[in-house]
Amino acid sequence: ECLIDGSYYQSTKVILDKSSTTESCNEYFVGSIFKKQLIVIAFIETILECDQVNLKILNPERKVVFNFCETLLFEKKAPVRFIVEDYYLIVQINLSPFSQFYSIINLFIIDYNKQDYITTTTQAQTTSSTKPFDINNSKCGVSSIKSSSLPRIIGGFEVIPNSWPWQVYLHDGNKFCGGTLINNQWILTASHCVISPYWKAYLGYHDIRLISKVREIRISTIIKHPDYNSTNYQNDLALFKLKTPVVFSDTIRPICLSDAYTAMVGKEAIVVGWGKISESGMFPNRLQQANVKIKSNSECQFFDLKKTQLCAGITDQGNIKDSCQGDSGSPLFTKEGDTYVLIGIVSFGRTTCDGYGVYTNVYEYLDWIKDTIKSN
């Protein structure tokens, strides 16, 4: 499978100048995972020797939907435009040994709602009453996939590696949970995860098969919410303190918290994790994502939820999206302006993972989080 070489969301021009002495494959991601769009890719002055090089377009399910060489488009002199209606596409470039490849690829995006061309170098300014804050005075809530508005995960898909640099894989030698980095030394997770005191944190990973002891960080302090109730999962959150602070990078970065309430009913949110991708399915090795919507507590009344809890998911027939076993402690977050804000922590749900997931409402615990960190 291809190694990910870069991301070019909302780029007007990509110049690829490659020379290969070994067989290789590179991928470039185009479009928005969060918002459905019509995507137009125009190949301008493309030169391909198809016995050496091929260029393919893959959909989010990684199925080839366009094969440049099969359609012999390299013989045409006029610019070639390929149009697809989807969330995003993967431009895959395969190089045979000793191939030389030069191409200019122009990327255009058609707005799905307006149905007209928009320039890909400009973006409308967004305003929000949200007040994201960063416990560590660093640049929080910034995805490593620049300018992108980029799914226990049911009905989701594999994320672009390191899109969400605040995602943490937690393991105690027997059990694993997800977590969220909120500053350079503190991780927020679910209280019900904490059975053993011997937890380790792994940051900056996409494929957990690649986890190395060299990059593991021991947890020095575990603080469960004092009022956690294991019967009804009330106050289901805990703070983990890393033994050593982390250095921020494109693959390790905290998410923002917000003083303003942003978990409005009907709002779109993102949940990620390494949990099951079906009720009876396997646990994935690579981080998964689902785009869900906040539900009213009355929609999830069978849970008897309190204001300290959120319900979210997608329950359309044939289109279930939810967290599932193994996603506990992972984040639920939204985009506010130019930053991503943590609004929930995966807590529990029905065993069928049917689109009704329950999350700890982070907003209701901001004072406890700040006071706990300050005193420890």
Side-chain angles (χ1 to χ4, degrees):
E1 192 165 294
C2 294
L3 296 174
I4 289 157
D5 193 74
S7 175
Y8 294 91
Y9 172 80
Q10 291 201 332
S11 253
T12 54
K13 184 178 289 187
V14 178
I15 299 176
L16 301 167
D17 187 358
K18 302 223 176 249
S19 179
S20 175
T21 55
T22 59
E23 187 171 358
S24 64
C25 176
N26 298 289
E27 293 184 353
Y28 304 85
F29 294 85
V30 183
S32 168
I33 290 175
F34 200 78
K35 178 183 179 184
K36 195 165 184 116
Q37 293 172 306
L38 287 173
I39 300 173
V40 178
I41 301 181
F43 303 97
I44 309 297
E45 299 175 5
T46 300
I47 301 171
L48 291 182
E49 297 291 339
C50 283
D51 58 338
Q52 296 182 339
V53 181
N54 196 10
L55 189 152
K56 300 176 183 178
I57 306 296
L58 283 66
N59 66 12
E61 288 72 41
R62 304 185 70 81
K63 293 181 181 178
V64 176
V65 295
F66 182 82
N67 189 316
F68 198 96
C69 286
E70 272 189 10
T71 53
L72 302 179
L73 292 176
F74 61 94
E75 294 181 350
K76 296 183 179 181
K77 293 182 180 180
V80 177
R81 288 180 179 174
F82 173 71
I83 304 175
V84 68
E85 178 182 333
D86 222 320
Y87 290 98
Y88 73 101
L89 296 175
I90 302 169
V91 180
Q92 186 181 90
I93 298 160
N94 304 87
L95 299 178
S96 299
F98 306 106
S99 67
Q100 292 184 344
F101 175 52
Y102 173 79
S103 179
I104 298 174
I105 301 176
N106 281 342
L107 307 177
F108 295 92
I109 297 177
I110 297 178
D111 187 276
Y112 183 73
N113 296 311
K114 294 182 179 178
Q115 295 289 309
D116 57 358
Y117 284 93
I118 59 172
T119 58
T120 56
T121 53
T122 60
Q123 287 183 284
Q125 295 295 315
T126 58
T127 59
S128 174
S129 59
T130 304
K131 302 174 183 177
F133 69 87
D134 188 342
I135 291 175
N136 202 51
N137 296 318
S138 63
K139 195 170 184 181
C140 64
V142 179
S143 171
S144 57
I145 305 301
K146 297 179 181 178
S147 301
S148 176
S149 57
L150 310 171
R152 12 184 263 231
I153 302 298
I154 302 293
F157 50 87
E158 180 183 338
V159 309
I160 299 172
N162 302 121
S163 302
W164 313 122
W166 41 83
Q167 178 70 22
V168 182
Y169 182 77
L170 298 168
H171 205 288
D172 69 352
N174 180 46
K175 177 183 178 180
F176 75 89
C177 275
T180 310
L181 187 69
I182 57 173
N183 73 4
N184 70 341
Q185 204 167 3
W186 287 90
I187 293 166
L188 201 54
T189 187
S191 212
H192 78 263
C193 286
V194 184
I195 298 174
S196 159
Y198 306 111
W199 287 89
K200 296 173 185 176
Y202 302 87
L203 293 84
Y205 280 98
H206 172 67
D207 189 331
I208 56 176
R209 292 172 299 182
L210 304 178
I211 280 177
S212 166
K213 285 189 175 182
V214 175
R215 288 174 56 186
E216 73 180 19
I217 303 177
R218 293 183 179 275
I219 305 301
S220 64
T221 305
I222 297 176
I223 305 173
K224 298 171 66 172
H225 193 281
D227 297 323
Y228 168 62
N229 186 320
S230 60
T231 301
N232 59 15
Y233 294 94
Q234 284 288 315
N235 309 304
D236 189 11
L237 74 163
L239 281 163
F240 282 18
K241 186 177 183 180
L242 297 170
K243 186 175 182 179
T244 55
V246 296
V247 177
F248 297 145
S249 65
D250 285 343
T251 60
I252 300 175
R253 190 184 300 275
I255 198 169
C256 295
L257 303 179
S258 176
D259 280 325
Y261 189 75
T262 61
M264 308 301 181
V265 173
K267 188 167 187 172
E268 290 184 321
I270 298 170
V271 56
V272 295
W274 287 277
K276 287 185 177 181
I277 55 177
S278 66
E279 177 190 348
S280 58
M282 303 278 292
F283 292 100
N285 293 310
R286 295 170 178 168
L287 188 63
Q288 303 291 303
Q289 165 179 335
N291 299 335
V292 297
K293 287 189 176 181
I294 307 300
K295 295 177 177 291
S296 66
N297 282 8
S298 61
E299 288 182 85
C300 307
Q301 58 185 340
F302 37 80
F303 289 131
D304 189 26
L305 301 181
K306 310 302 179 185
K307 71 172 185 176
T308 54
Q309 295 168 304
L310 298 172
C311 187
I314 297 289
T315 52
D316 297 341
Q317 189 172 7
N319 186 32
I320 302 299
K321 296 182 180 181
D322 195 4
S323 52
C324 200
Q325 287 81 22
D327 290 318
S328 293
S330 288
L332 177 74
F333 52 95
T334 59
K335 190 174 186 184
E336 308 297 335
D338 294 326
T339 59
Y340 290 92
V341 172
L342 181 67
I343 62 169
I345 303 166
V346 177
S347 182
F348 72 98
R350 298 202 280 203
T351 56
T352 51
C353 306
D354 56 358
Y356 295 92
V358 179
Y359 301 79
T360 301
N361 186 345
V362 173
Y363 173 80
E364 298 292 337
Y365 297 95
L366 291 178
D367 288 342
W368 179 80
I369 292 169
K370 289 186 281 188
D371 291 345
T372 301
I373 290 176
K374 185 177 180 180
S375 60
N376 288 274

